[in-house]
Amino acid sequence: MGESIYFGCNAIFIQISHQGNITSRIAMSKAHVLAIPYPAQGHVIPLMELSHELVKHGIKITFVNTDFTHNQIMKALGEKDIEGNEIQLVSIPDGLEDGESRNDLGKLTEAMCKVMPKKLEMLIEDVNKSVSNKITCVVADESLGWVLEMAKKMGIPSVAFWPASASLLTLSFSIQKLLEDGTIDGDGTPAKDQIIQLAPMMPAMRTTEFVWTCLGSLTTQKFIFDYMCRNNKAVEVAEWIICNSTYDHEPAAFALAPKILPIGPLAAGNHAGYLAGNFWPEDSTCLNWLDQQPTNSVTYVAFGSFTVFDHNQLQELALGLELSNKPFLWVVRSDVNNGKHHAFLKEFEDRVHPRGKVVIWAPQQKVLTHPSVACFLSHCGWNSTMEGSINGIPFLCWPYFADQFLNETYICDIWKVGLRLDRNSGIITREEVAYKIKQLLHDDTFKARALELKILAMNSVKEGGSSNKNLNNFIDWIKA
């Protein structure tokens, strides 16, 4: 990588470009995008994927993470080279101290709102001191509505990027209607536990599983609900609202909210190098292990960056994978694989070797493209949902929080490419895990439908496809 450059307000710039001819070409370009994600794994990765797409078209990127997230990414990156011709990784404080947990999203978001606006404004002013290098557009996570408002105040065109499903965003946009018809109270609390549809053909949503009701304590839920309401107003100043989805995945959602434009799946982009977005180092030895497994035989098990298990549930999952008598690759993060978990998992892995493999973090997109992978036991985060979709992989659904229950509905009820795991007395048993793995692998209709969805997804990003057209129009607008 190139040299490091340090700006004010604790910003750390890392110059990635080292290809002189491309650097010179981009330096002449007037288009310079500042991209800023919400500081969570499922938000950083898709915005980084979009950034790489923009770089291919000669657009300069300044990518803003929080200090904490930036340090995680750089540790995970190690000595790897990053794909990208002109991307600068930047960090500013998130308002929390070094030792504080970032898992309480209400506390994190509140701290960010107090500290980051001033820091980001200072950063933009520093960048704009360069006559030829001024920020010409801000692409901000829709969850950071204050960034859109700041851009307007500074006279910079802004774009809201939504990394999750269009249905989730339409739910947010429907809050006022839900209040008016009495579905929810003023603080977002459901009036009663019921199933609703925002429009015909939209996925059914359980009111007690609305995204803000699945995020921690009642205090956190209330804060997130109010924050979403503020974002609904802030997003009105954005020139575009773009979404990591496709018309074919969510036709009813896009019909209900036509101002949201799909440009995904972004994971389908052709990235030859390494995307600087993972919070943990990838263990690529699992790819060699996959090479030794029969085609269409492996259950890939991964639960994203937030999911945690108590010891009993972790044991039931492990023993269910063992009971299935099928090969499996299981991602267990380092923050989960500790204490009682660590001792149990060490003994478990020794016992199931070589049929099963446990890693801290996997190169997920490469894993899902591997011919030995038969199904994906997933928390149903939207990134994972899209990545499984573009590879024709059936799902076993184990949602944890936030939008994951909505995504499970898409997978199981709308697209019909997966199965739910049922909780008995609040726990998913080993017998249930083993039974559903066998059911999914022995029913070819799930794989057939998954392959049909893959074709639709890939067609959307091909030249002339709907997402491809939207993305090209967006790029033309940035460069105009």
Side-chain angles (χ1 to χ4, degrees), residues 139-187:
V139 178
D141 197 301
E142 197 276 344
S143 299
L144 303 178
W146 57 266
V147 178
L148 303 171
E149 293 172 331
M150 174 189 294
K152 181 176 176 62
K153 184 183 78 170
M154 300 182 77
I156 305 172
S158 67
V159 175
F161 173 69
W162 184 244
S165 73
S167 287
L168 180 60
L169 191 53
T170 59
L171 172 63
S172 179
F173 290 167
S174 301
I175 283 176
Q176 187 57 41
K177 183 178 184 299
L178 295 172
L179 288 166
E180 291 170 358
D181 65 19
T183 302
I184 56 176
D185 298 330
D187 61 356

Side-chain angles (χ1 to χ4, degrees), residues 417-431:
V417 296
L419 292 171
R420 289 177 172 84
L421 287 158
D422 298 324
R423 285 177 168 81
N424 300 311
S425 303
I427 195 167
I428 296 175
T429 65
R430 67 191 74 175
E431 290 82 9

Side-chain angles (χ1 to χ4, degrees), residues 145-263:
W146 57 266
V147 178
L148 303 171
E149 293 172 331
M150 174 189 294
K152 181 176 176 62
K153 184 183 78 170
M154 300 182 77
I156 305 172
S158 67
V159 175
F161 173 69
W162 184 244
S165 73
S167 287
L168 180 60
L169 191 53
T170 59
L171 172 63
S172 179
F173 290 167
S174 301
I175 283 176
Q176 187 57 41
K177 183 178 184 299
L178 295 172
L179 288 166
E180 291 170 358
D181 65 19
T183 302
I184 56 176
D185 298 330
D187 61 356
T189 304
K192 61 180 179 180
D193 184 359
Q194 61 179 319
I195 306 294
I196 70 160
Q197 281 181 293
L198 297 178
M201 306 306 295
M202 285 276 288
M205 300 180 186
R206 191 176 192 125
T207 54
T208 53
E209 292 176 352
F210 283 164
V211 61
W212 57 85
T213 68
C214 303
L215 291 169
S217 67
L218 290 175
T219 301
T220 297
Q221 292 173 25
K222 174 67 166 63
F223 176 84
I224 293 296
F225 177 75
D226 290 342
Y227 184 73
M228 290 175 68
C229 292
R230 294 197 299 273
N231 281 338
N232 284 344
K233 182 160 184 60
V235 78
E236 293 175 4
V237 306
E239 304 272 355
W240 294 68
I241 305 174
I242 53 177
C243 175
N244 185 25
S245 186
T246 79
Y247 288 119
D248 288 311
H249 279 85
E250 307 184 82
F254 288 111
L256 184 63
K259 61 185 176 181
I260 307 172
L261 297 176
I263 59 167

